Amino acid sequence: MNISVILVRPRNPQNIGAAARAMGNFGLSDLRVVDPYEPTWREAVSAVGAYEILHNAKLYSSLKEALFDADLILATTALKNRKINQAIASLPDIRTYLEESDAENCAIIFGPEKTGLSAEDISLAHCVLNIPTTAKVPSINLAQAVILCCYELSKTESSARKAKFKKPSFKEVEIVQNNVEKMSALLDLPPVLGEKVRARRLAELASKRMLDKEDLFFINSIVNKIISKLEE
């Protein structure tokens, strides 16, 4: 399984450097950084300790761009005061969860130090990854979270099981979502099925990961045919 570590809007160069070093310590190398604060990023890259990982890191302007090839997305967040619609996996159980997922490309996203991931960020994930902590101090430092996750991931079995079916990537799902939204707009649906409602329902459907590549191709083919008929 290919695993990407994604840091969303990080602001502390020491945390970025420590996260990269943790990846190197435990055999991970695919670091992706979304919208970092430029001075902080320059300082982190110049730091000693994880030169190769930091210099090979890919920068993205949005989280969706960074998730383009992921077919399993895990969002790390403290559960306090969060409304979670996805499944929740505890870090000690992450190996079992990944082994049962049959995913090929897994992305684990970590939010900024001050606020954590936004509700919009979390909505893109298939599962929320929770690191068990005491109720009095539910959140932990960004770098510490990356270190703990990298350590647990290093214990996963290296031999991947054959996938039961081909899971679509985030980008493939997004293409179908956009086409369904275009079709919905052309159908002039009632207010109860307005744009915000459609977007939410489509995101929830995608997060359940019930469709494989062939299912999506079938749906997209029909949707595109309907769009063509409606635009005639």
Side-chain angles (χ1 to χ4, degrees), residues 175-190:
I175 290 172
V176 177
Q177 287 177 318
N178 290 338
N179 283 336
V180 170
E181 177 55 34
K182 182 178 180 181
M183 179 189 70
S184 300
L186 290 170
L187 288 172
D188 191 25
L189 296 174

Side-chain angles (χ1 to χ4, degrees), residues 47-60:
V48 178
Y51 179 87
E52 186 173 349
I53 291 176
L54 285 171
H55 277 261
N56 290 330
K58 304 175 185 69
L59 301 184
Y60 297 89

Side-chain angles (χ1 to χ4, degrees), residues 116-133:
L117 293 170
S118 68
E120 182 179 358
D121 294 333
I122 295 173
S123 71
L124 301 178
H126 302 119
C127 176
V128 166
L129 178 58
N130 178 248
I131 301 174
T133 55

Side-chain angles (χ1 to χ4, degrees), residues 2-228:
N2 303 311
I3 298 177
S4 304
V5 172
I6 303 180
L7 307 182
V8 180
R9 300 181 294 277
R11 292 297 182 266
N12 187 318
Q14 293 181 340
N15 280 334
I16 298 173
R21 283 193 294 275
M23 292 176 63
N25 289 150
F26 298 108
L28 301 179
S29 60
D30 187 0
L31 175 62
R32 305 180 186 188
V33 185
V34 177
D35 189 26
Y37 181 53
E38 187 59 33
T40 294
W41 177 246
R42 287 199 302 269
E43 184 178 346
V45 171
S46 64
V48 178
Y51 179 87
E52 186 173 349
I53 291 176
L54 285 171
H55 277 261
N56 290 330
K58 304 175 185 69
L59 301 184
Y60 297 89
S61 59
S62 73
L63 179 55
K64 284 187 175 182
E65 292 176 358
L67 293 170
F68 72 97
D69 61 346
D71 56 5
L72 176 61
I73 304 167
L74 308 179
T76 59
T77 183
L79 299 179
K80 185 178 180 181
N81 299 324
R82 290 279 195 184
K83 182 180 179 182
I84 304 298
N85 296 317
Q86 299 95 323
I88 299 174
S90 181
L91 183 58
D93 302 322
I94 189 60
R95 286 178 293 163
T96 300
Y97 183 85
L98 292 181
E99 287 164 6
E100 292 177 349
S101 73
D102 292 321
E104 294 182 5
N105 298 301
C106 174
I108 304 181
I109 56 179
F110 298 83
E113 296 88 340
K114 203 168 186 179
T115 61
L117 293 170
S118 68
E120 182 179 358
D121 294 333
I122 295 173
S123 71
L124 301 178
H126 302 119
C127 176
V128 166
L129 178 58
N130 178 248
I131 301 174
T133 55
T134 62
K136 289 184 178 180
V137 188
S139 61
I140 62 176
N141 174 269
L142 169 61
Q144 292 172 334
V146 176
I147 291 169
L148 288 170
C149 290
C150 288
Y151 171 67
E152 287 294 337
L153 290 168
S154 72
K155 297 190 292 184
T156 57
E157 295 181 5
S158 58
S159 58
R161 296 183 300 135
K162 184 179 180 181
K164 294 177 182 177
F165 60 94
K166 295 182 179 180
K167 291 181 170 57
S169 68
F170 175 85
K171 188 64 178 179
E172 290 170 330
V173 173
E174 186 180 38
I175 290 172
V176 177
Q177 287 177 318
N178 290 338
N179 283 336
V180 170
E181 177 55 34
K182 182 178 180 181
M183 179 189 70
S184 300
L186 290 170
L187 288 172
D188 191 25
L189 296 174
V192 70
L193 295 175
E195 182 177 352
K196 289 184 178 180
V197 174
R198 295 197 301 267
R200 177 176 57 80
R201 294 298 298 272
L202 286 171
E204 289 175 354
L205 176 63
S207 71
K208 293 177 181 177
R209 304 178 69 247
M210 299 299 292
L211 305 175
D212 66 9
K213 288 177 179 286
E214 291 185 1
D215 293 330
L216 276 184
F217 177 78
F218 173 72
I219 293 172
N220 203 41
S221 298
I222 293 176
V223 168
N224 279 325
K225 190 67 175 179
I226 294 174
I227 291 174
S228 297

